[in-house]
Amino acid sequence: MEAVLFVGVQGSGKTTFYKERFFDTHVRISRDMLKTRNRQSLLVSACLAGRQPFVVDDTNAAKSRRAEFIEPARAAGFRVRCFFFRCALREALGRNRRRPSGQVVPVPGVIATFKRLEPPVWQEGFDEISIVEVDAEDRFAVRDWTREQGDPPRLEREQG
Ligand SMILES: Nc1ncnc2c1ncn2[C@@H]1O[C@H](COP(=O)(O)OP(=O)(O)OP(=O)(O)O)[C@@H](O)[C@H]1O
Ligand SMILES: [Mg+2]
């Protein structure tokens, strides 16, 4: 059984990736859809109790938020996988801008998430970390990040 956590700013492609890769197998846990923390925790508990794989499709920018999922999932014997949607701010803003009008996120919200995003680190308890990037043809490129490589860094051009 696996619990999957996405980490990435608004517009980084998380929901698109979910639909491509997990729609048929994993329940989607999303704050946008569920609205309240209570509903979210009820649904996660149901997945854990029922041995149902799930994906937390949220920005999950803060380690503390991720811990709310990682600890119970591990306690229930789930493997925990992280997909880190590593993308430059301007790419996220560009994709956000091209969304259908009702789905465009206010720009300051994307920038704020970008600034506070804490990249995933092994110490949080992940069994696997993968990096998702979008290639020149707009396809998702997924790479496994090994423990030997240390913690995944931000893109160089994002630093500073
Ligand atoms: N690989 C891609 N190629 C082209 N367009 C993409 C790709 N991934 C996502 N998009 C487009 O970019 C926009 C944002 O993608 P998506 O909704 O998946 O982002 P998100 O990370 O789920 O954002 P949010 O956190 O706000 O839910 C959408 O309009 C989507 O169609
Ligand atoms: Mg989304």
Side-chain angles (χ1 to χ4, degrees):
M1 284 313 109
E2 68 171 9
V4 175
L5 265 82
F6 288 170
V7 175
V9 300
Q10 301 94 332
S12 58
K14 301 178 300 295
T15 302
T16 307
F17 187 76
Y18 170 84
K19 289 178 188 164
E20 273 188 19
R21 179 151 172 169
F22 292 110
F23 181 82
D24 291 329
T25 50
H26 291 56
V27 163
R28 176 167 171 264
I29 308 285
S30 150
R31 238 180 338 153
D32 283 350
M33 175 177 72
L34 298 169
K35 310 288 189 212
T36 73
R37 199 172 268 226
N38 182 47
R39 277 200 199 143
Q40 180 176 277
S41 90
L42 282 169
L43 193 51
V44 169
S45 301
C47 288
L48 295 175
R51 325 294 302 152
Q52 167 62 47
F54 62 96
V55 173
V56 186
D57 177 8
D58 261 316
T59 57
N60 290 315
K63 273 186 210 169
S64 57
R65 172 163 298 276
R66 302 194 291 260
E68 291 173 23
F69 297 99
I70 296 168
E71 283 162 17
R74 288 179 67 89
F78 277 53
R79 289 177 61 75
V80 182
R81 292 190 72 178
C82 177
F83 286 84
F84 178 26
F85 290 72
R86 203 166 65 162
C87 93
L89 179 58
R90 68 170 175 282
E91 289 167 13
L93 289 173
R95 284 200 291 272
N96 181 53
R97 196 172 51 238
R98 291 190 295 274
R99 284 172 145 174
S101 58
Q103 289 172 27
V104 176
V105 178
V107 169
V110 182
I111 294 173
T113 306
F114 186 84
K115 284 191 177 151
R116 71 183 175 85
L117 187 132
E118 301 175 276
V121 299
W122 287 109
Q123 228 261 316
E124 293 173 69
F126 297 117
D127 294 292
E128 286 172 64
I129 297 177
S130 300
I131 302 226
V132 185
E133 286 168 341
V134 175
D135 71 16
E137 276 92 48
D138 275 348
R139 283 182 307 236
F140 289 112
V142 183
R143 273 188 294 147
D144 292 336
W145 193 264
T146 66
R147 276 175 209 277
E148 291 66 48
Q149 291 172 283
D151 295 322
R154 294 171 175 270
L155 288 175
E156 280 90 73
R157 65 177 183 277
E158 289 180 359
Q159 284 170 348

